[in-house]
Amino acid sequence: AQKVTQAQTEISVVEKEDVTLDCVYETRDTTYYLFWYKQPPSGELVFLIRRNSFDEQNEISGRYSWNFQKSTSSFNFTITASQVVDSAVYFCALTGYSTLTFGKGTMLLVSP
Amino acid sequence: DARVTQTPRHKVTEMGQEVTMRCQPILGHNTVFWYRQTMMQGLELLAYFRNRAPLDDSGMPKDRFSAEMPDATLATLKIQPSEPRDSAVYFCASGLIPDSGANVLTFGAGSRLTVL
């Protein structure tokens, strides 16, 4: 069975602070994909990134960066210089070849 | 941008009433998922279809929920009779998933259901 754990339920930061959202996963699949989705207050789920299990290179996209470490089964997400618009619930998710299993989400509150 | 369209966006109904939620997946996508989001359980998979065929509906309460894909442009999720515990946001998502890999799912905006 697959499992995704996001231990941080809620994080509050002040604008311009860096923040890291943790994600730990469990799977027996040798090939799998990891995702991050953002859910802003409007409610939709917005895709941020996909990573396959064979690609452990870290990725940076603007203020966002992702650290994938197979040895610790973690796929952490860092926002540098956070902004109020980053306030949202962030979900980490995992799939083998079929369904997407989500973590419970981390609510990020960025105050001015 | 291609979108997954869900209707209705909001629905308030009374216990015992039938509720039907509809989803128009992105044209060309072969896989459609129904997820339910609640505060307590988070995002749970209810059912999914590949090429319109149901592959897994083990997440759905069978006695009251049903999911169908009458054609490639429409997926439906029906609850009959509805109960207060069904109050949640129901998301439809679609993707182009080959047999040997995984692809990105695009989610609809969700249907917020309140059962009184």
Side-chain angles (χ1 to χ4, degrees):
Chain A
Q2 297 179 332
K3 185 178 178 182
V4 177
T5 302
Q6 294 180 256
Q8 304 148 309
T9 306
E10 186 174 317
I11 301 175
S12 293
V13 299
V14 177
E15 221 173 8
K16 295 183 185 172
E17 282 185 32
D18 298 348
V19 58
T20 295
L21 310 181
D22 298 332
C23 173
V24 174
Y25 63 92
E26 295 175 30
T27 181
R28 292 182 179 176
D29 293 329
T30 53
T31 301
Y32 52 89
Y33 294 79
L34 294 159
F35 299 78
W36 277 94
Y37 279 83
K38 173 182 180 180
Q39 187 174 40
S42 51
E44 72 271 28
L45 282 157
V46 178
F47 165 77
L48 294 178
I49 189 171
R50 179 187 67 181
R51 225 10 160 207
N52 76 51
S53 52
F54 296 111
D55 183 0
E56 287 192 70
Q57 280 197 349
N58 292 331
E59 180 154 342
I60 298 174
S61 176
R63 296 183 298 106
Y64 295 171
S65 62
W66 291 270
N67 185 332
F68 175 30
Q69 292 199 346
K70 237 171 152 173
S71 59
T72 55
S73 297
S74 65
F75 186 43
N76 297 337
F77 173 28
T78 297
I79 301 175
T80 303
S82 59
Q83 299 177 0
V84 172
V85 293
D86 295 327
S87 296
V89 180
Y90 291 85
F91 291 94
C92 182
L94 165 70
T95 186
Y97 291 113
S98 56
T99 62
L100 203 55
T101 300
F102 285 88
K104 296 285 192 195
T106 297
M107 178 178 288
L108 174 65
L109 300 171
V110 182
S111 54
Chain B
D1 280 348
R3 288 174 178 250
V4 174
T5 303
Q6 289 186 248
T7 57
R9 290 295 314 280
H10 302 274
K11 175 76 175 180
V12 180
T13 191
E14 292 191 349
M15 184 173 65
Q17 297 298 306
E18 177 178 304
V19 175
T20 299
M21 289 168 275
R22 294 176 173 81
C23 168
Q24 181 177 3
I26 291 174
L27 190 64
H29 281 186
N30 63 350
T31 308
V32 175
F33 297 78
W34 283 104
Y35 281 87
R36 175 172 63 183
Q37 185 178 30
T38 60
M39 288 294 293
M40 294 300 296
Q41 300 299 327
L43 280 155
E44 306 172 276
L45 177 68
L46 296 177
Y48 78 104
F49 297 78
R50 175 91 30 96
N51 298 320
R52 294 179 53 204
L55 287 192
D56 185 356
D57 62 1
S58 58
M60 257 180 6
K62 298 290 190 308
D63 56 338
R64 298 183 301 107
F65 284 58
S66 62
E68 295 179 349
M69 268 200 88
D71 62 63
T73 65
L74 177 65
T76 62
L77 180 66
K78 187 177 296 186
I79 308 174
Q80 168 63 22
S82 58
E83 297 181 1
R85 59 180 167 153
D86 301 329
S87 297
V89 180
Y90 291 82
F91 285 100
C92 174
S94 72
L96 181 60
I97 297 178
D99 289 337
S100 60
N103 213 323
V104 174
L105 297 189
T106 302
F107 282 79
S111 293
R112 181 177 294 276
L113 173 65
T114 302
V115 183
L116 303 174

